[in-house]
Each structure stands twice: as structure tokens, then as C-alpha cells.
Amino acid sequence: MRPPTRAPENRTDRRRAKTRQALIDAARTLIADGRAATASIADITATADVGFGTFYNHFDDKKSLFDAAIDQILEALGDHLETIADRTDDPAEAFATSFRHAGRLAIAHRQTAEIIDSYGFVLMESPTGLGPRAHRDLSAAVAAGRLHIDNVALATAITGGHLLALVHAWLADPTSVTEADVDASVETLLRSFGMPAAAARRLAHRTLEPLG
Amino acid sequence: MRPPTRAPENRTDRRRAKTRQALIDAARTLIADGRAATASIADITATADVGFGTFYNHFDDKKSLFDAAIDQILEALGDHLETIADRTDDPAEAFATSFRHAGRLAIAHRQTAEIIDSYGFVLMESPTGLGPRAHRDLSAAVAAGRLHIDNVALATAITGGHLLALVHAWLADPTSVTEADVDASVETLLRSFGMPAAAARRLAHRTLEPLG
């Protein structure tokens, strides 16, 4: 959980920041439970264990709260993925490794998976999210001659489609999708994006360093 | 557009069926415009050009109207795809041809594309929809030794993910996704489901007979 943008300066500020975060955490829980659309402000404040009136001290409406919750989730995931991209000069490797980590995170945490599943491509396209990163890495890999893609926007969408498919199948039956399936999926993607089979296999199964 | 289940017997019945269909057509328009969630009953009856009170003569609530609209769309698409499956003994061909036709329908009609995009995997999993057909064809292709898939449920989800990705990219920029991209996508899928490259290429580019 990242700290609020402005560091709390005194006890009142700290309490205020804590309440705001409690509301955001409640929103994340409701998203994960598939209740984001139907939850009332009263449901949200009850879940957060704060007073009903408190809500409007922090957010204008339900939508602005849920937007804040999604932003926080995407920023955390984005921070993870940046540390990965920083470790390699090969954009194809950055792409493959980001996909493998994102897939692992998604099939390890039901809350993350529910959010990805319910938001779908909207999430993929968020400026703080996965889509722009995948687009950037794929473009760089083409420029570097590592991949051969005519339509990078379509390739990005297909990458998103694979991730969503893995998450969706896992939610339906958590025993049915494993980390090996995530790796097999990115191997398929790399081959369909023009990487020779042997290179794709190597890249998709390289030992993953833990997220730092 | 298929006729109502019971054939209208007299003028009153015919008028009633016509009003019901006007409401369903309005729902399809609102789904396509991305307004399904926010549209009021008044919006729906205004779009259908019928009186406000008429709504409750036909549907209990908004949800039952939209369910009826989605069912109608899926039934029409399903009917199309059944005529295709009937033409071949090869389930791998039935799979590939269904995917190619579904992709072509989706990127030819903005309304269909908007509906597929906004409903996503929910649509894929509808009993009248694409998912169960893909699952059936893939299972039969495995049994016939045409494909080699460990996890047919995951393969079905990945097929859905590809179709959703094509539709989503086409909606963002209709010039960016062509029928050739649909064919390339199913070629990739067939190869990743264990079909030799040459056979996958042949099947993905075979001349398509028009829908009957």
C-alpha cells in the first residue's frame, strides 16, 4: 500500500489519511466481491467501519472512490513491473517477464483477479496499467528486431486477451490454471509475434527473479 | 430476427409482438451505444417510440428486457454457426470456420461489436453463445486427434480472449483490424493447440462459404 501523496503532518492529518485509506480498502473489497455496481455509500462506510457522513469528507461520489481504488491497484502493479523492465536491455524479455509476473499476481490473489476480470480491457488501457507498458515493450522489441509485428495495437490487445483468458479460467476453477499455463501462454504469444520457437521457449521459461 | 415463440394469432397479438420487439430493438441500440447500464425505462420507451406504461406489459424490469435482447443476438449468431458446423465432419475445421465467421460478423457490424466488447466473457459463456460451441468443437478435435490440448476450458477462454481482443482493437480503430487478422488469429490458435503449422495455415485460409 503506497502512502498518500502528501505526507500527513499531524495527528489530524494522519487520522484523515487513515480513514481515506479505509474507504479505498473497502472499495477494493467490494470490487473483488463483484458488488461495486450495487454497493451503496452505506455499504461502503459499513465495510470500512467508519461513519456514514465521513464518506463525503473524502470523496464526491461513489465513482471517484472506485477510481481512486483502481488507480492504487494499478500503480502498485505498475511499480512492480517497472522494476522488472529496469533489469534488462531486451524489450522482448521485459515483455515476457512482465506478462509472467502479472499472470502470477493475478492467479495468486483472488481480489486482483476479480478486479482484472470485471474491468477487462478498460484496465488494460489505463495509462497507469498494463496495456501501455505492453505496447511500449512490443514496439521497442520490433525496433530492436527481436519481434516482427505488423500491428502493435492489435498485438497489445491480443496480449491483454490472453491475460484476461487466464484470469477468467482461473476464477472459474483455480486448480485449472497454473504458472506453467501463464508461461505457455507467453511462449505462444512470442511465437505468434515472430520469435523463433527455440528463443520463445527459452524466454518464456527463464528463471523468474522475485519482484523487488 | 426470429419470430416470437408463439405465432401471433390475431391483430392484438401481432401488435403486442411488434411492441415487444420494438422494446428489444431499443435495448440492442442502447447496449451498442454503451448506455445499457445508465438508461432509464423512460429512455428505453422513448428509443422504442412506445408509451412509458407499455414497458411493464412486456417486461418485469430492465434486466429481463436486456437479457431478452442478448438472447436474441446470441441465438441469431448461434444459428449462423450451426449451419457451418453441419457442413464438415472435421471438428477442427468447424472450430476454425466458426471463429472466422464470428470474427467477420463482429468487425462488420458495430452494434454486434459493441455488445461483444461490453459483455466480454459473460457472453462467451452464455449457453446459447460462442463459448460452449468452441468448447464442444475443441473437445471433439482432441478426441479425433486433430488437436492436442491439456486444458480445453483454458483453450476455450484463450479463444474467447482472441476474439475479444480483435473486436476491442477494431472498435478503437476500424481500419486497424481486417479479415486477414481474424484468419491470422485462428492460425495462431490452431498452432498453439498443437496443429502442425502447414495444416493450421491451410485451415485458417481456406475459402469461406457464405453463411446460409
Side-chain angles (χ1 to χ4, degrees):
Chain A
M1 210 64 46
R2 53 172 47 205
T5 316
R6 202 161 44 86
E9 281 153 24
N10 55 40
R11 196 184 302 168
T12 308
D13 281 350
R14 281 197 300 275
R15 192 168 52 219
R16 188 175 161 74
K18 205 174 147 191
T19 304
R20 186 175 190 277
Q21 189 57 48
L23 287 165
I24 291 177
D25 289 344
R28 292 173 67 160
T29 301
L30 292 166
I31 291 168
D33 293 347
R35 291 164 57 209
T38 54
S40 63
I41 305 286
D43 293 332
I44 293 163
T45 51
T47 305
D49 198 19
V50 302
F52 178 83
T54 308
F55 182 90
Y56 293 101
N57 296 334
H58 295 273
F59 296 99
D60 288 340
D61 52 24
K62 239 182 77 175
K63 184 175 180 311
S64 57
L65 167 64
F66 281 100
D67 285 350
I70 295 290
D71 274 351
Q72 232 180 47
I73 292 159
L74 290 175
E75 277 181 23
L77 188 53
D79 285 350
H80 278 314
L81 298 184
E82 278 313 300
T83 65
I84 298 160
D86 287 348
R87 284 188 201 151
T88 174
D89 292 331
D90 174 10
E93 183 177 356
F95 169 80
T97 311
S98 295
F99 186 96
R100 295 170 70 199
H101 274 297
R104 279 164 170 72
L105 284 170
I107 67 170
H109 298 110
R110 190 157 195 96
Q111 197 190 40
T112 308
E114 296 272 7
I115 290 164
I116 292 173
D117 189 53
S118 60
Y119 277 76
F121 285 103
V122 172
L123 204 64
M124 295 293 157
E125 282 166 357
S126 160
T128 45
L130 307 178
R133 274 165 226 279
H135 195 285
R136 178 197 63 190
D137 292 340
L138 290 174
S139 299
V142 170
R146 293 280 288 155
L147 298 175
H148 304 280
I149 302 171
D150 288 333
N151 186 336
V152 173
L154 179 57
T156 303
I158 286 176
T159 301
H162 266 242
L163 188 59
L164 293 175
L166 288 163
V167 166
H168 193 76
W170 181 80
L171 284 169
D173 175 6
T175 65
S176 74
V177 180
T178 64
E179 296 186 347
D181 290 313
V182 174
D183 296 344
S185 196
V186 83
E187 182 180 342
T188 298
L189 287 173
L190 290 169
R191 280 168 45 196
S192 71
F193 297 161
M195 185 175 280
R201 193 172 323 118
R202 255 198 323 276
L203 211 50
H205 300 282
R206 184 165 292 178
T207 304
L208 269 186
E209 297 197 35
L211 290 167
Chain B
M1 208 66 43
R2 54 172 45 203
T5 316
R6 202 160 45 87
E9 281 154 23
N10 55 38
R11 196 184 304 169
T12 309
D13 281 351
R14 281 196 301 274
R15 193 168 51 218
R16 189 176 158 74
K18 204 175 151 191
T19 304
R20 186 175 190 278
Q21 189 57 49
L23 287 165
I24 291 177
D25 289 343
R28 292 173 68 159
T29 300
L30 292 166
I31 291 168
D33 293 345
R35 292 163 57 208
T38 54
S40 64
I41 305 287
D43 293 331
I44 293 164
T45 51
T47 305
D49 198 19
V50 303
F52 179 84
T54 308
F55 182 91
Y56 294 100
N57 296 336
H58 297 273
F59 296 98
D60 289 340
D61 52 23
K62 240 182 76 175
K63 184 176 181 311
S64 57
L65 167 62
F66 281 100
D67 286 350
I70 294 289
D71 274 351
Q72 231 179 48
I73 291 159
L74 290 176
E75 276 180 25
L77 187 53
D79 285 348
H80 277 314
L81 298 184
E82 277 313 300
T83 65
I84 299 161
D86 286 348
R87 284 188 200 151
T88 175
D89 291 333
D90 175 9
E93 183 177 357
F95 169 80
T97 310
S98 295
F99 186 96
R100 294 171 71 198
H101 274 297
R104 278 163 170 71
L105 284 171
I107 68 170
H109 298 110
R110 190 156 196 96
Q111 197 190 40
T112 308
E114 296 272 8
I115 290 164
I116 292 173
D117 188 53
S118 60
Y119 276 76
F121 286 103
V122 172
L123 204 64
M124 296 292 157
E125 282 167 357
S126 161
T128 45
L130 308 177
R133 272 166 228 279
H135 195 285
R136 177 197 64 190
D137 291 340
L138 289 174
S139 299
V142 170
R146 294 278 288 154
L147 297 175
H148 304 281
I149 302 169
D150 288 333
N151 185 336
V152 173
L154 179 56
T156 303
I158 286 176
T159 301
H162 267 242
L163 188 60
L164 293 176
L166 288 164
V167 167
H168 193 77
W170 180 81
L171 284 169
D173 175 7
T175 65
S176 75
V177 180
T178 64
E179 296 186 347
D181 291 312
V182 174
D183 297 344
S185 195
V186 83
E187 182 180 343
T188 299
L189 286 172
L190 290 169
R191 280 167 48 195
S192 72
F193 297 160
M195 184 174 282
R201 193 173 324 120
R202 254 197 324 275
L203 211 50
H205 300 283
R206 184 165 293 179
T207 304
L208 269 186
E209 297 198 34
L211 291 167

